[in-house]
Amino acid sequence: MPSTTEPKLIAGNSNLPLAEAISRRMSMHRGVNVNLLNARVERFNDGEIFVEVFENVRGEDMFLIQSTSNPANDNLMELLIIADAMKRSSARRTTAVIPYFGYARQDRRTKARTPISAKLVANMIMGAGIERVLTMDLHAAQIQGFFDIPVDNLYASPIFALDIEAQFKGQMDDLMIVSPDVGGVARARELAKRINAPLSIVDKRREKPGEVAEMTVIGDVTGKTCIIVDDICDTAGTLCKAAEVLLEAGAAEVHSYISHGVLSGPAVERVTNSVMKSLVITDSIAPTQPVLAAPNIRILPTAPLFARAILNIWDGTSVSSLFDTESLAPAYEGVL
């Protein structure tokens, strides 16, 4: 049942610009102000996180917006502590809106005596009183099964499809979607189907983590405008190397569309100096100043997507309708 009042939003410190943009979009949809809850989230001198909410939330449908990006542990603790504050303040339901779900890459045991940290994080989130999770492009879809509560996993591919159609108008027949590894083929194929483009794969072999020993292009990319699609770009080493290999294989130019721009360490410098024409990321992670200043990095907004999804959850309508490019297009009219 929907709340008797408007949905209530509260945000941690991980990505306040996105939370504020979601608030503005929801206000536009509702025709009334849907503001972020008046609260303070701060730290004591020893680093402990303290939360105080200045508005009544008893019986309210709360949406807690917080990416668990760098610093992942601090942002995760903020999420858990705010959730506990909502539970102890008698909120009717708290939905965690996690645009970027940290620890998602630790979704299985890759070798002996290693943890499955994504499952541990799921247990902590449920233990804090979260009753529903809304996220985007989980690194591994099976993480939804780590939760015993509903999990709505949105996709960036409809946004990417809309942007590609706008940016490459008149060149659609020359496009080739590329998966940077075999594990990402399903994600790349999904976008390829949306824009009716062929699919290629860059097969990589690693000698040890973080180092790529060899790359091979599977498929004919000669004369094609290649678009690499992936969910996470961290240090950008693999991405930049894949772009070089594609050009060596005869591609005309290379662009990349990545859901979550982690972009740690030397990533921005690598992208800036790479042969890629452009790297397109979403704002699921708050961009740093170097990212904003990079000439070949562009950021797509996710606020229209999340605002619509939050409203659909609040009034009990379908979230999966947002998986379709055509259904999402009205929300992005005038944005892309």
Side-chain angles (χ1 to χ4, degrees):
M1 293 290 291
S3 171
T4 54
T5 60
E6 296 300 318
K8 294 290 180 70
L9 306 180
I10 187 170
N13 292 316
S14 70
N15 198 341
L16 280 174
L18 175 57
E20 290 164 353
I22 292 172
S23 170
R24 289 193 298 270
R25 294 292 302 191
M26 289 178 64
S27 299
M28 184 183 72
H29 285 303
R30 297 294 300 159
V32 295
N33 286 333
V34 182
N35 297 319
L36 294 174
L37 211 66
N38 186 15
R40 64 177 175 137
V41 182
E42 56 186 39
R43 283 166 175 73
F44 292 137
N45 290 334
D46 63 353
E48 283 187 13
I49 296 166
F50 176 72
V51 173
E52 184 177 8
V53 180
F54 300 113
E55 297 181 35
N56 180 30
V57 298
R58 184 179 298 274
E60 298 288 356
D61 201 355
M62 299 300 306
F63 293 86
L64 165 52
I65 303 169
Q66 176 82 335
S67 282
T68 50
S69 49
N70 185 37
N73 298 330
D74 286 357
N75 288 330
L76 176 60
M77 282 304 299
E78 276 192 16
L79 172 70
L80 300 175
I81 292 171
I82 297 172
D84 186 70
M86 294 298 96
K87 180 174 66 174
R88 295 179 187 279
S89 301
S90 302
R92 183 171 63 86
R93 178 180 69 173
T94 302
T95 298
V97 181
I98 311 174
Y100 171 70
F101 189 93
Y103 285 100
R105 286 175 280 183
Q106 298 184 48
D107 63 303
R108 63 193 184 282
R109 295 186 68 189
T110 55
K111 56 184 72 174
R113 295 175 296 281
T114 57
I116 305 178
S117 302
K119 172 58 177 169
L120 174 62
V121 170
N123 290 343
M124 293 167 67
I125 287 173
M126 290 185 292
I130 296 296
E131 296 179 57
R132 191 181 193 104
V133 171
L134 175 64
T135 186
M136 184 181 76
D137 275 347
L138 282 170
H139 182 65
Q142 65 265 26
I143 291 174
Q144 296 173 83
F146 292 175
F147 291 87
D148 294 324
I149 55 177
V151 177
D152 292 301
N153 183 33
L154 302 174
Y155 299 100
S157 56
I159 309 173
F160 290 165
L162 289 169
D163 188 73
I164 289 170
E165 289 169 358
Q167 295 294 320
F168 297 93
K169 190 175 297 184
Q171 306 174 49
M172 299 298 289
D173 292 339
D174 298 326
L175 297 185
M176 170 79 81
I177 299 298
V178 179
S179 173
D181 53 43
V182 174
V185 169
R187 182 179 298 104
R189 185 186 294 120
E190 168 68 18
L191 180 58
K193 285 181 179 178
R194 289 179 185 274
I195 64 172
N196 194 29
L199 177 66
S200 179
I201 304 166
V202 176
D203 182 34
K204 66 182 178 185
R205 299 180 185 178
R206 294 182 187 270
E207 290 185 346
K208 58 183 180 180
E211 291 187 9
V212 179
E214 182 183 353
M215 282 186 166
T216 306
V217 177
I218 302 174
D220 185 9
V221 298
T222 305
K224 293 289 188 179
T225 297
C226 290
I227 297 178
I228 301 174
V229 180
D230 209 353
D231 65 323
I232 295 174
C233 176
D234 193 346
T235 60
T238 299
L239 189 67
C240 293
K241 178 63 176 176
E244 293 173 8
V245 170
L246 287 166
L247 285 180
E248 290 170 2
E253 57 184 48
V254 180
H255 303 262
S256 295
Y257 279 74
I258 309 294
S259 303
H260 308 294
V262 176
L263 298 176
S264 58
V268 176
E269 183 180 357
R270 283 176 175 170
V271 171
T272 301
N273 297 328
S274 75
V275 296
M276 280 188 299
K277 290 284 187 180
S278 68
L279 167 62
V280 180
I281 59 176
T282 74
D283 59 357
S284 62
I285 297 172
T288 61
Q289 195 55 46
V291 171
L292 294 171
N296 58 342
I297 297 179
R298 192 161 53 85
I299 302 170
L300 297 182
T302 56
L305 174 65
F306 279 106
R308 191 65 264 173
I310 289 171
L311 287 171
N312 286 11
I313 290 171
W314 174 73
D315 63 15
T317 55
S318 172
V319 173
S320 61
S321 63
L322 300 174
F323 297 171
D324 297 328
T325 305
E326 290 182 3
S327 299
L328 195 59
Y332 275 87
E333 190 172 349
V335 176
L336 299 178

